[in-house]
Amino acid sequence: KEQVRTRVTKLMADADGQMSERRYAEAVQSLETAVKLDSTNTIVRTRLDEATARRDGYVRATRLISEARFRQQKGLLTEAEGLLNEALTIDPNHTEATRLSRRVREELERQKRQQAIQAARDHLAAGRFAEALAALGEAQDPPGASDLADLRAEIQQGQAELDRRARAERLNLAAAKTRETMDAGDLDRASQMIDRLTAHFGQDPGAPEVLRGLRERLEALVRVRDIAQYQQRVHGLLEGKAYREALDLLGEALRRFPGDTGLDRLHKSAAELYRAQQRSQAIAAVLKEAAARRGAGDLKGALASISKGRQDLGDDATFVNLARDLETEIEKQRYRTALDSLLRQGRELL
């Protein structure tokens, strides 16, 4: 009996060593021999059950690994990964399962990267930049590679170029609308539109040239509008014979817009009208003075006023005609005076 116990103890020790070396089938044989020697030993039976379970698991895991290797060779990496995960669940320390699982994961990651790259390039070729970036997701390059990083940079560059073209198109449309507003004569609104364009697009490539052209056009139209408004006001004053006020307004306009030929011509016309008005008023004043002296019987004084007017203002036809009439009246007055003197002398002689 003591020999049996010793033999069983040795078989259990052998089984422990075999188990540690993952020689499960040999461990089961050792324990089965021990059970035959001592069928009442519950410890041995428990160890046998454990070894049998380990052996069966190892066999099943090995079969799963074989199936996984077959799937791997067929390119069915996802299925292979699932089989290997199942094998590792059964036998977490299975060396071949661990090694093959690592290789399958690497191949699967590589396959996923290639699929992501291809999908991203398809989206990129169609101009779907957001979808291209989404296709890449969180995928990363393996050490020493830059395919994904380069593709992301290419996509981002394409997106930036698309955004630039879209902004340039919006700027051109807004600029066209601004020109339409200017052509419609709403220059104040056009100025506000240019300010908004400057705020939104001022730093974009090509925008400064567009905005400068719009401002130059606006300034030219504002100049034309303001000059036209000055001219309209001046014409109103001229129609009302307010020539002095018209000249003052034209002086203000020429200070704002020096060298404008239209304003220059209008200024010359207004100056001529003002000079004519001044001459007319001066002539009227002389005629009024002469008429007053003539009415008072001072024909010589009236003629003197006309003579001075002719010296100051030139031989106006009115002056010439009135002077002739006054000279005639003076001659008649002299004749009457002489006749009255002769008649008086004759009466005295009688």
Side-chain angles (χ1 to χ4, degrees), residues 260-294:
D260 183 79
T261 55
L263 290 175
D264 282 337
R265 287 195 300 270
L266 189 57
H267 186 272
K268 291 177 182 178
S269 297
E272 291 175 0
L273 289 171
Y274 180 64
R275 285 193 296 271
Q277 183 188 57
Q278 292 293 95
R279 175 181 172 81
S280 177
Q281 290 175 349
I283 290 173
V286 171
L287 293 176
K288 182 178 180 181
E289 180 183 335
R293 289 184 174 183
R294 186 181 188 183

Side-chain angles (χ1 to χ4, degrees), residues 115-184:
Q115 290 173 347
I117 289 173
Q118 185 58 51
R121 288 202 175 279
D122 291 341
H123 287 304
L124 177 60
R128 298 187 296 268
F129 302 104
E131 291 85 347
L133 286 174
L136 293 180
E138 299 299 324
Q140 298 295 326
D141 286 308
S146 62
D147 293 345
L148 288 169
D150 293 343
L151 183 55
R152 279 195 179 92
E154 184 179 352
I155 293 169
Q156 291 165 352
Q157 183 179 0
Q159 181 68 65
E161 177 61 20
L162 179 64
D163 293 343
R164 186 197 66 75
R165 289 199 300 269
R167 283 183 64 82
E169 184 176 354
R170 289 199 298 273
L171 172 61
N172 290 334
L173 289 174
K177 184 65 176 178
T178 303
R179 294 187 191 96
E180 292 176 3
T181 303
M182 284 191 277
D183 292 341

